[in-house]
Structures are given as C-alpha cells and as structure tokens.
Amino acid sequence: MRGRLDRHLTPYLFVAPFFVLFAVFGAYPLLATLWMSLHDWHLINGDGGFIGLANYSDLFADPDFWNALVNTLSLFVISTVPQLFIALGLAALLNTKLRGRTFWRAGVLVPNVVSVVAVALVFAQVFGRDFGIVNWLLGLVGLDPIDWPADVWSSHLAIAAIVTWRWTGYNALIYLAAMQAVPNDLYESARLDGASTWKAFWTVTVPMIRPTILFTTVVSTIGGLQLFAEPLLFESKGASTGTGGSDRQYQTITMYLYEKGFTLFDAGSAATIAWVLFLIVALFALINFAVVRRTVASR
Amino acid sequence: MAAGGVFARRGVRLAAGLVAGALALTGCGGGDESGGEGEKITLTVATFSDFGYEPLVKDYMAAHPNVTIKLRVTEFDQHHKQLATRLGAGAGAADIEAVEEGYLPQFRQSKDKFVNLADFGAKDLAKQWLPWKWEQSLADGGNFVMGLGTDMGGLALCYRSDLFKAAGLPVERDQVSALWTGWDEYFAVGDRFVASGSKAKWFDGVGNIYQAMMNQTPYGYFDTADAYVGDSNPAVKTAFDKVAAVANKPGMSAKLDPFSQQWNVGFKQGTFATLPCPSWMLGLIKDGSGPENAGKWDIAKIPGNGGNWGGSFLTVPKQGKHAEEAYELAKFLTSPDAEAKIFQNVGSLPSQPETLKNPAVLGFKNEYFSNAPVGEIYAKSGETLQPNYRGTRDADVRPVFGRALARVEQGKQAPADAWTQALTEAGKALGK
Amino acid sequence: MTTTTAATAVPRRRRRARPAGGRGKPLSYLLLAAVLASSVFPLYWTFVVASSDNSAIGEATPPLVPGGNLMENISRVFDSSEFSLALMNSAIVATTVAVGNVFFSALAGFAFARLRFRGRNALLVTVVATMMVPTQLGIIPLYLLTTELGWTGHLQALIVPALVSAFGVFWMRQAVDETVPTELVEAAMMDGCSLVRIFWHVALPAIRPAAAVLGLFTFMGAWNDFFWPLVVLNPENPTVQVALSVLASGYYTDYALMLTGALLGVLPVLAVFLLLARQIVGGIMAGAVKG
C-alpha cells in the first residue's frame, strides 16, 4: 500500500516545486502581462482602460516593430550560427588529451563571467571610431576607419562579435560535457574502419551528442531572440534609451520593449511586445526542434 | 492609489497569498517595518550622483534625534527608471526622490503619485528660488508643487586655450567671449579654426550644441500651453538647420556622443576645441582631460542667450509613510544655507538668488580651468538666463530630433530628409 | 513531444569514456592559446585599469601594463559603496539559487526521465514551453507581486523566483536519460526501494557532473544578473551588480573605481569555477563508470 502510494504520488511531488514556483513567478506575470497588453497602461499611472487588441494592431502597423524584428533576426543568425559551430570545434579541441585541461576549460568560460560593465568598456575600445583597435588594424591594410555603430551592417557585425565572444565558451563547455560521455569503443571501431579524426568527429561525435546540440540550439534561439544586454551596451552612456542608434539600426525587439516601457513609460505597448515576442520565440523553438532533429539525424 | 486594475490587483493578492503560505512553512518572509506615532523614524533620500548631502544629513540628525536618514545613490538613468517602476507598483520608493529637470515633465504626468508640497506650505518658500526654477517645479496651474529645487546648470562655453593659440585665435576669456554674440558667429570662428589647419575639431558633437541651443529658447517642441509646436515653432527649425549645416562639415564636429567613453577619450586626446558646458559638466571635463591638460581649458560666454541645462528637484512620493517629516528634510536640504555649503563641497550651482550673491559663491575660482571665476560666470548666467519651457511629453519628442541630427552628422542623411523624418517620427510618438 | 524521441537516441550502456580526439597536437595548443587570449583579454584589461588611476582610461591606446593603484582603488570601492555587504549578499543569493535550482531540477528531471506517471508528457511539454517565456519581460507584474509580499529590498526577492528554471529541468532530464540506466532504476524498484531513495542513491551520484555544470551556470547567472536586482533591491542592501551601479552613479564615471569593483566581483565566480572544475571535468568519467 505504502509502496503504491509512493509510486503514484512521489513523481508528482518531484515535479511539484518547479510547477508551483513557476506558476507564481513565471506564469502569473506572463498572464498579467497579457492583461496589461489589452489595456492602455501607463507605467506609473497604471490602468487607463480596456482597449481590446488596439495595442496589437498598433504594433503590427508600426514600422519600428518590423525594423526591430528584422534586426533581431539578423543579429540572431549572424551571432548564433557561427557561435555554435565554433563552440563545437572548441569543444572538440578541449576534448583532446591536453596538459592543464582545467586551465584551458576555465579560460574559455571567462567571457561569460566578466561583468557587463567591463565588457562594454572593452568593446568600446575595440570598436572605437577614432582610437579603436579594429580600425587601427584596418588602417594597417589601408582601409578607412569605420564608424561601427553608425550603419546597419557594421553595428550588427560588431554586436554579433560581442555575442559570439561572450557565449561561445559557455556552449563549448556544454558540448564538451556531452562529448565526454561518448563511449570510447565507438571511436575505436571507427578508427579500425580507417576513419580519420575529422570523419570520426562527424560520424561518431556529432550524432552521439545530438540531444545536446538540439538543447543548445533551442536555448541559443531563445536567448538570441531576446538579445538585449549586448546591443544595449553598444549604445553610449548618454543615450541609453534602448533606441539602438540614430536610425534604430540595431534596435532589437527587447530593446524596443525597453524603450516603450521604461523610456516612454508605455507599459501597455511594452506588454504587447512581450507577448508577441513570446509567440515568436515559441514558433522558432518548434521550427528548431524539427530542423535540428532532421539534419542531425540524417548524418 | 491602486496601481493595477481590479483583476491585476486581485491576481497579485492571490499569488502573494500562495507564496506567503508556502513560506510560512519554510520560515522565510519579509518583515514589515511600520513605526507608530512619535517614534523614531527613518527617512531615505534617493539621488543619482553625489548631491553633497552627507555632512548636511549629519547635522540634521544631530538636531533631530528621532530621525535617521539614509542616502541612496544610483546611476542617473537607472535612478529615474527605478523611480518610475516603484511609483507604478505603489511601493519601494524613497521618502525623498531627486528628479532631474529633463525627467520632471514625464513625472509631472503622474503628479498624483507625489505629495503636493503646497499642502505643507511650500508656496511660502517660493521666493527662495530664481523665478523660473520655482515655476519649473509647479503643476496644475501653480496649485501643485512637485518638488523643491536643488541646483541648476547655467550655460557657458568651455574652450581649449592652447588649441585656440595654435590656431591664431584670441586666448583671453574676455576676448574669446567677444568673438561671438550668436551661434552664427561661433560657427564662423569655427571656420577660421578649421582653416588654420588644426588637427582638432571645433566642437565635440552635435548633441551638446543642439541641446544648448534648445535650452536657450523660451519654449521648444511644446508651447507654454503644452501644445505640440515642434513642426511650426521657428526656433526649433532655426536651431536644427544651424546645427545640421555644420554637422557633417569637415573639421567642425568631432562626432562624439556626449557622455560616451569615446567622448572621454576625446577630452584627454584634445580632439575638439570647444563645447557648451553647464556648471555641473566642469567636473566631467576635468576628470576626462586628466592632470596633464590642467590649465589648458578656460571658460567663456555661451553664444546666444543665457540658458539652463540640468538641475534637479527633491520630490516626496505619496507612498512614503512620513510625508511631513520628508518635506521638512527636503526644505532643509534646499535651504539657502545648505545650497551654499553644497556649492563649496561639490560645486553644484545654487538656484537661489540669495545664495548666488553669497561672496563665497561669487568669489569661487576653478584652478583647473585656468583659474576662471566660475562663481561669477555661472552666477551671472543664472540671473539673466531665459528658462526653457518643457512640455509634458517633451521626452517623447526630444530624442527624435537628436537622432535626426546624429544621422546628418554620420553622413547618412541630408539635413532636409533628416528633418522630414524627424517630424514624422515625432508625430508618431505623440500618436498623431 | 519531440525532445523525448530525440533523447532516446542516446545509448543506454556506457563504458568508461576517454578523450576521443587523440592527443593534443601543437596546432591544438596554438588554436586554444589564441582563443584563450581573446577570452581573457578583457579580464586582464579590467585588472590593468583597476590598478591604474582613472586617467588611464582616456589614453588613445589603452594601457597594457598594470599600474600601482590597485590597493588604493580597492579601498575606495569599499569606502564608496556597501561592497562587502554586496559580496556577501551575492554569495548568499547565488549559492542558494544554484543549490536549490540544481536540487529541484534534478528531482523533476529524474521524474521526467525515469518515472511513469499520468500526464508526464503533457507536463514535460509545459516545461519546455515555459523555457520560451521571457521571464524578465513580465517584470512589472513580478515587481507588483514582490511588493505585495513585502520582499522589495530583501534577498528573497532574488532567490525564490530563481529557485527553479525550465532550463534546469530540461538539462537534468537529458542528464538522467543519458547516465542513469533504466534497468538499474527498475531493479531498485523491484527491490521495494522508495523513489526518494532511488533518486538519492542511484540517480544523484550518476548525474553529479551534469549537476555541477548546471550549478556553475546557475551560480554565474545569479551572480551576474543585474536588471532584476536593480529594480527590486536598494543600494543599502545590494548585490555586487547593484553596488557597481552605485559606483557608476556620478555624472562622471570613475572607470578605475568601477572596474576595480567589476574585478572584485568576478573573482568569486572564478573561484567557484575552479572549485567545481574537478567535478565537471574529472567527474564525468567517474559518473559514467558507476553507471
């Protein structure tokens, strides 16, 4: 009797903490946000009346929203894709017999722990127009200095560099953890079949860590579509409005939300953006599952 | 008072009840501090930079043994955004919150969340401040007093005398001031400076120049009846055109964003010769330029009229439990006596006629800026300046025009196109 | 849901795993050194500025050699903000969040991967779906909630909402699925072992490495989180990130001061990494052997 109760009840007790806490601190705010998005809601003054889907129709009619969406997708693609491939390669390197393994492994994680304040300052120096390191290097090969934040392509490139720099090591460690669980005999038989290291990597390692690749892709997609800290850091201190440059050239959806909610105090519109973003992320995650499963499986 | 709608409020309660129940089991939970009558109270003062209150607060606590005062300092933007969130949530704000002039119109829209200081007799203090500073603190046709004024930011023009000398321009501050009356002359001198072949640019960036110009107009994007006039007010168009004309002109603008890291480097490297400098900016210029540039900066008259840029107000959010005590403290911190002490401690320019005549203020010289008589320069500019009226929704519109000029400066747009786009964006921001 | 099928592709039986890519070649070291240099440079540069006086930041080419002001800057950091309190608060928050999150995630992950119960798949889909919830976007209702609870300004406002994460549950589910043999769990059940005991004695030892990785990431995330703490805490009772915003509070930013604070704020995280590194790196094989 006790055993049956244990078998039936305990699983629910195991998953209960997650669901209870999530219901209060995750689902409730989300539903409240949905409620806010149906109202004319001022950040300070609060509810200004129910307006139905007006916030949504306004948002879809707003070219700034589409601009932010395109920017987000562009930044997502040029930062996430290279980042995951580099991380995979880096993990493979770290998975070889190395002297001072811990040292190398700790090293690649450093970008993720350095305070964003320091990151902002360092990259201001790296991408500075007048005295920046990148422009200095361009000067060496005879190219004109670039005003990195000024244009769409240059600002996206610079921000993607920051994102890639910050998150590659993190993903590499996740891959590494997965690679270490790959049974060695699979490599031995691959070697007996005459496969090169390169080929073994693609025929053994990648298929074996497929769930992890799926995992990082989903997590990176979710993170990438919510990109906020890095582009905001790219704005100079005097103009931290979330606008993303003089022509919104690098404003992401989350920055747009920040601008609406905390610069213009329009919480109703901000809540609307939050919900639309949620739906976009959900859509992408589903596509992700499908695509990654198929491509990795076909290997 | 309730920040949310009925549903939202009830939802919060329900969720809160659930957690509180769960936490009672685990023995965690927040304490609720509430003091009874006549008991010891704690007042919190939240500011966004060093307002120089520390010594004053000590005096106040010594004189009022039942009052404990805590100072809370946060970064400028975060301070105001945090205040907005906390006003919206109905809790968490300090007893006294500093609000900067640029943010004040936005908060004026939410004056219900603040104590009307007139209820405690603030109107009797009106004469303490320069008339325009007092007016800025009012809402509701003068019936509502949002806050008590602290400092102000009279305008002047800072210039690098060494770069002026190398370019064959006058160096003495009086002679430099005589070079211009308006901005056209200032830009003409800029042409001379550029023609001299100096490697430095004439000014730091369009952001500061335009800001200074707009602060010299009696009103900008909104008229004093709070109607949007950004598209019809000739003062806006004139300022915009003047700045746009030089924004991308070779040698004129160093094209730096004010307050950015690159801007700081610009000071140190001497990449520009002039910039408009309200009194509070002197510290930034000094720290940015570093000891090796000591004595190279000097201060002259600003082209155009006097104007104000910056300065703050002490407000009392309604959610605090000790509104009257908070008001008393704010009154103390903004008294002429306190303002004189603050000026001597941290250099914030008083906004009160009496303090501006104080010999200690008038006679103050700044060693770093070639011993410029900053007390006199700024005190004078403060007495004669024309205040700039800022509409309630000024903050929605102002950045739009700033960004338009930045596009011209970056060479991405012609001035006329930038102006057209700005008008469209401004109209959109206002929901037109 | 698709995750379930994706994960089942992982083989159940594990042998002792060994680094697979062969010996490290000189080229590997060269590549790694390059990656490491770019990774560590900003941290090094933080140290350089933290050890200089503030004027160093304005140089056209940033200084590359440390100066002699580190001690002075450190004492200034402790003087001008509640930095020791901030360090302690951050340590409390990050440790509690990491331990709690790993524990709850492991519990749920184990249940999802190895236990059969009604509604399991539906609940798992819910977990994955909640990962897409941009939690920081519900910040205003969340703030209202913490206010109602009286938590504003207190550490539990940071701790309790972060105790669980969908990421953690998802992660631990994968880990259990890959390292805890079904046969073992079933055998233990046949023996009449309670589920709590199976979790504790069978599952937990096997997933230790994965738990260490999750713990590290959660610790880092909680330590570096700045948006929510800034909203909900006050400078009187700060975390490190809030204290940093106090250091940046002037009209003029004292970068030497700020980066000294940033440097002091990074060191504990690096210490935790080194502490957990053995678990993460060496432990993965140990765990596999036991499995």
Side-chain angles (χ1 to χ4, degrees):
Chain A
M1 182 61 207
R2 203 180 132 257
R4 275 194 57 190
L5 206 64
D6 180 55
R7 295 284 181 275
H8 285 111
L9 205 61
T10 313
Y12 294 106
L13 288 179
F14 279 7
V15 298
F18 172 82
F19 284 100
V20 170
L21 282 174
F22 179 80
V24 177
F25 295 104
Y28 163 70
L30 192 74
L31 291 175
T33 306
L34 179 64
W35 175 253
M36 282 169 85
S37 75
L38 301 174
H39 289 72
D40 178 14
W41 200 295
H42 186 267
L43 178 64
I44 304 176
N45 297 344
D47 193 353
F50 182 81
I51 51 168
L53 294 173
N55 279 330
Y56 289 85
S57 54
D58 284 353
L59 184 70
F60 293 132
D62 184 356
D64 292 345
F65 165 71
W66 298 105
N67 170 62
L69 181 62
V70 170
N71 283 342
T72 306
L73 295 179
S74 153
L75 281 168
F76 162 66
V77 170
I78 60 175
S79 58
T80 307
V81 175
Q83 175 193 322
L84 292 183
F85 275 101
I86 299 173
L88 206 51
L90 191 58
L93 270 181
L94 288 170
N95 198 28
T96 52
K97 271 185 190 158
L98 289 170
R99 260 170 240 253
R101 283 188 311 212
T102 313
F103 170 76
W104 298 111
R105 284 162 188 175
V108 299
L109 201 63
V110 164
N112 208 253
V113 299
V114 175
S115 150
V116 287
V117 176
V119 174
L121 273 176
V122 169
F123 280 95
Q125 293 277 9
V126 170
F127 290 109
R129 184 195 58 212
D130 298 335
F131 306 105
I133 297 167
V134 179
N135 278 353
W136 177 74
L137 289 172
L138 290 178
L140 288 185
V141 289
L143 292 171
D144 285 338
I146 291 167
D147 190 357
W148 288 95
D151 286 304
V152 176
W153 69 271
S154 57
S155 59
H156 285 206
L157 219 56
I159 292 167
I162 303 176
V163 176
T164 307
W165 176 81
R166 274 193 86 195
W167 293 97
T168 300
Y170 180 93
N171 284 308
L173 278 196
I174 295 184
Y175 289 145
L176 176 64
M179 283 178 188
Q180 293 197 323
V182 175
N184 206 32
D185 42 8
L186 289 180
Y187 289 107
E188 269 157 23
S189 50
R191 220 164 288 148
L192 287 177
D193 290 347
S196 65
T197 314
W198 175 253
K199 193 159 179 233
F201 176 73
W202 285 108
T203 53
V204 179
T205 314
V206 171
M208 290 305 289
I209 64 167
R210 200 181 63 170
T212 307
I213 293 178
L214 176 71
F215 178 81
T216 53
T217 314
V218 172
V219 170
S220 302
T221 304
I222 293 168
L225 292 174
Q226 294 178 28
L227 195 63
F228 178 63
E230 288 87 354
L232 196 73
L233 292 179
F234 208 56
E235 280 194 333
S236 60
K237 197 192 163 203
S240 49
T241 55
T243 322
S246 63
D247 212 8
R248 301 176 184 274
Q249 59 267 31
Y250 54 92
Q251 184 178 43
T252 63
I253 296 185
T254 334
M255 285 172 84
Y256 185 52
L257 180 150
Y258 180 79
E259 186 199 359
K260 284 280 188 201
F262 291 94
T263 303
L264 301 175
F265 295 172
D266 184 353
S269 296
T272 309
I273 301 167
W275 257 84
V276 170
L277 178 60
F278 170 54
L279 297 176
I280 293 172
V281 172
L283 179 74
F284 264 78
L286 287 177
I287 296 174
N288 246 316
F289 275 126
V291 171
V292 176
R293 240 181 87 218
R294 194 154 302 166
T295 48
V296 180
S298 69
R299 277 262 161 206
Chain B
M1 261 304 269
V6 179
F7 168 87
R9 212 64 194 169
R10 224 182 261 154
V12 168
R13 291 250 159 76
L14 184 69
L18 276 175
V19 185
L23 286 168
L25 297 172
T26 54
C28 321
D32 198 357
E33 323 138 20
S34 57
E37 302 260 322
E39 274 175 40
K40 291 196 174 218
I41 60 163
T42 302
L43 295 176
T44 323
V45 183
T47 61
F48 50 83
S49 66
D50 187 3
F51 274 43
Y53 285 164
E54 228 162 280
L56 293 168
V57 157
K58 272 186 195 140
D59 293 350
Y60 194 84
M61 287 198 284
H64 301 78
N66 66 320
V67 179
T68 310
I69 299 167
K70 283 186 181 161
L71 296 177
R72 199 187 268 180
V73 186
T74 322
E75 195 266 329
F76 177 77
D77 266 319
Q78 280 157 9
H79 166 81
H80 290 99
K81 286 176 174 142
Q82 211 173 44
L83 174 60
T85 315
R86 289 171 174 184
L87 290 176
D95 295 284
I96 296 179
E97 290 271 359
V99 175
E100 203 253 358
E101 172 217 30
Y103 271 100
L104 193 67
Q106 270 179 304
F107 284 104
R108 198 179 281 132
Q109 286 174 284
S110 312
K111 64 178 189 314
D112 296 350
K113 305 283 177 187
F114 294 93
V115 171
N116 182 358
L117 301 183
D119 295 349
F120 297 119
K123 278 184 180 170
D124 301 340
L125 305 173
K127 284 195 198 69
Q128 257 184 45
W129 288 274
L130 292 165
W132 61 267
K133 181 79 181 179
W134 172 252
E135 299 245 321
Q136 275 193 330
S137 72
L138 302 178
D140 198 11
N143 294 319
F144 197 102
V145 181
M146 288 280 296
L148 302 181
T150 61
D151 61 326
M152 65 172 186
L155 286 177
L157 194 98
C158 290
Y159 66 98
R160 283 278 296 255
S161 49
D162 59 327
L163 296 177
F164 269 48
K165 193 173 178 188
L169 292 172
V171 176
E172 286 299 313
R173 63 182 75 93
D174 291 340
Q175 289 173 310
V176 172
S177 298
L179 284 174
W180 49 67
T181 51
W183 289 97
D184 292 334
E185 284 124 316
Y186 166 78
F187 292 128
V189 178
D191 287 334
R192 275 166 64 192
F193 179 82
V194 174
S196 78
S198 174
K199 259 170 77 185
K201 305 290 190 284
W202 180 232
F203 56 83
D204 60 336
V206 291
N208 274 344
I209 299 277
Y210 183 66
Q211 176 89 341
M213 275 190 196
M214 289 304 294
N215 283 336
Q216 293 172 329
T217 59
Y219 62 91
Y221 307 113
F222 295 87
D223 65 17
T224 44
D226 217 22
Y228 173 66
V229 291
D231 47 359
S232 58
N233 181 0
V236 176
K237 179 80 167 112
T238 311
F240 188 95
D241 285 346
K242 277 186 187 169
V243 178
V246 294
N248 200 20
K249 198 168 164 184
M252 276 299 209
S253 172
K255 304 187 178 184
L256 295 166
D257 268 339
F259 314 108
S260 65
Q261 157 63 6
Q262 299 293 303
W263 188 64
N264 280 321
V265 178
F267 280 114
K268 185 134 218 185
Q269 304 299 321
T271 49
F272 49 87
T274 66
L275 83 162
C277 49
S279 40
W280 47 263
M281 208 189 268
L282 297 186
L284 274 84
I285 298 173
K286 179 186 167 188
D287 285 335
S289 307
E292 66 265 42
N293 290 316
K296 290 181 185 167
W297 284 101
D298 207 330
I299 307 172
K301 190 182 95 53
I302 189 90
N305 312 315
N308 178 65
W309 179 0
S312 301
F313 296 85
L314 297 185
T315 67
V316 178
K318 229 179 214 170
Q319 56 183 250
K321 291 191 184 95
H322 311 288
E324 183 150 17
E325 290 88 345
Y327 170 74
E328 288 303 322
L329 177 59
K331 198 168 109 184
F332 169 78
L333 291 173
T334 54
S335 65
D337 220 31
E339 287 225 333
K341 280 184 191 148
I342 291 166
F343 179 76
Q344 282 152 16
N345 286 344
V346 294
S348 304
L349 187 68
S351 58
Q352 305 177 334
E354 188 187 325
T355 328
L356 288 171
K357 286 186 197 104
N358 187 325
V361 174
L362 267 181
F364 190 75
K365 291 189 170 158
N366 194 321
E367 209 184 314
Y368 189 86
F369 288 82
S370 316
N371 253 326
V374 290
E376 200 191 313
I377 293 174
Y378 286 109
K380 243 188 221 164
S381 80
E383 280 171 357
T384 59
L385 69 79
Q386 281 194 28
N388 166 256
Y389 174 78
R390 287 195 172 177
T392 313
R393 300 196 63 187
D394 189 68
D396 296 358
V397 172
R398 195 159 23 115
V400 167
F401 290 86
R403 288 200 297 273
L405 285 170
R407 291 193 297 274
V408 179
E409 191 177 46
Q410 289 166 341
K412 292 167 71 174
Q413 245 178 0
D417 298 337
W419 173 256
T420 313
Q421 187 179 332
L423 288 189
T424 315
E425 283 181 25
K428 208 188 92 191
L430 295 170
K432 288 188 178 174
Chain C
M1 182 87 182
T2 35
T3 36
T4 4
T5 43
T8 44
V10 176
R12 289 288 141 70
R13 239 168 282 129
R14 282 284 142 79
R15 294 260 189 91
R16 183 187 168 83
R18 214 175 291 133
R23 264 165 235 286
K25 298 175 187 102
L27 185 66
S28 311
Y29 284 102
L30 209 67
L31 276 170
L32 278 175
V35 171
L36 198 73
S38 75
S39 296
V40 175
F41 176 73
L43 184 64
Y44 173 72
W45 195 70
T46 304
F47 171 68
V48 169
V49 177
S51 62
S52 316
D53 67 10
N54 193 37
S55 63
I57 196 94
E59 302 300 340
T61 44
L64 291 175
V65 189
N69 288 27
L70 185 61
M71 283 308 158
E72 191 198 320
N73 285 338
I74 289 178
S75 70
R76 279 202 305 145
V77 165
F78 283 98
D79 284 347
S80 48
S81 67
E82 297 276 357
F83 210 81
S84 37
L85 179 63
L87 282 170
M88 208 171 74
N89 281 343
S90 281
I92 292 171
V93 170
T95 310
T96 319
V97 167
V99 171
N101 195 318
V102 167
F103 180 71
F104 289 136
S105 297
L107 269 182
F110 172 65
F112 279 125
R114 287 291 173 266
L115 302 181
R116 264 178 238 126
F117 53 100
R118 199 180 294 178
R120 181 179 81 166
N121 285 345
L123 287 175
L124 184 61
V125 170
T126 315
V127 172
V128 177
T130 60
M131 264 176 51
M132 299 157 206
V133 177
T135 35
Q136 77 272 30
L137 306 185
I139 199 146
I140 294 160
L142 192 60
Y143 185 77
L144 286 169
L145 181 62
T146 38
T147 304
E148 194 77 12
L149 289 164
W151 290 359
T152 315
H154 299 280
L155 296 185
Q156 60 262 39
L158 305 186
I159 294 173
V160 181
L163 278 180
V164 296
S165 68
F167 175 91
V169 175
F170 194 23
W171 171 262
M172 291 317 285
R173 198 205 76 92
Q174 303 280 85
V176 171
D177 204 47
E178 287 171 23
T179 54
V180 182
T182 319
E183 301 90 328
L184 206 58
V185 175
E186 271 163 10
M189 279 184 181
M190 298 292 266
D191 288 351
C193 218
S194 78
L195 291 182
V196 174
R197 279 181 66 97
I198 297 176
F199 169 73
W200 197 260
H201 293 291
V202 179
L204 217 48
I207 56 176
R208 244 177 33 214
V213 175
L214 178 64
L216 175 72
F217 286 167
T218 315
F219 186 93
M220 276 166 33
W223 187 277
N224 289 329
D225 190 17
F226 73 102
F227 196 50
W228 177 236
L230 270 176
V231 170
V232 86
L233 289 188
N234 300 316
E236 298 101 275
N237 188 29
T239 61
V240 167
Q241 309 304 326
V242 176
L244 283 178
S245 108
V246 173
L247 295 178
S249 66
Y251 272 125
Y252 179 73
T253 310
D254 187 338
Y255 289 108
L257 188 69
M258 254 172 81
L259 288 195
T260 307
L263 183 69
L264 292 172
V266 171
L267 296 180
V269 191
L270 287 181
V272 167
F273 181 86
L274 292 179
L275 216 70
L276 289 177
R278 277 248 307 279
Q279 274 290 335
I280 296 167
V281 176
I284 283 167
M285 300 160 201
V289 173
K290 272 177 198 152

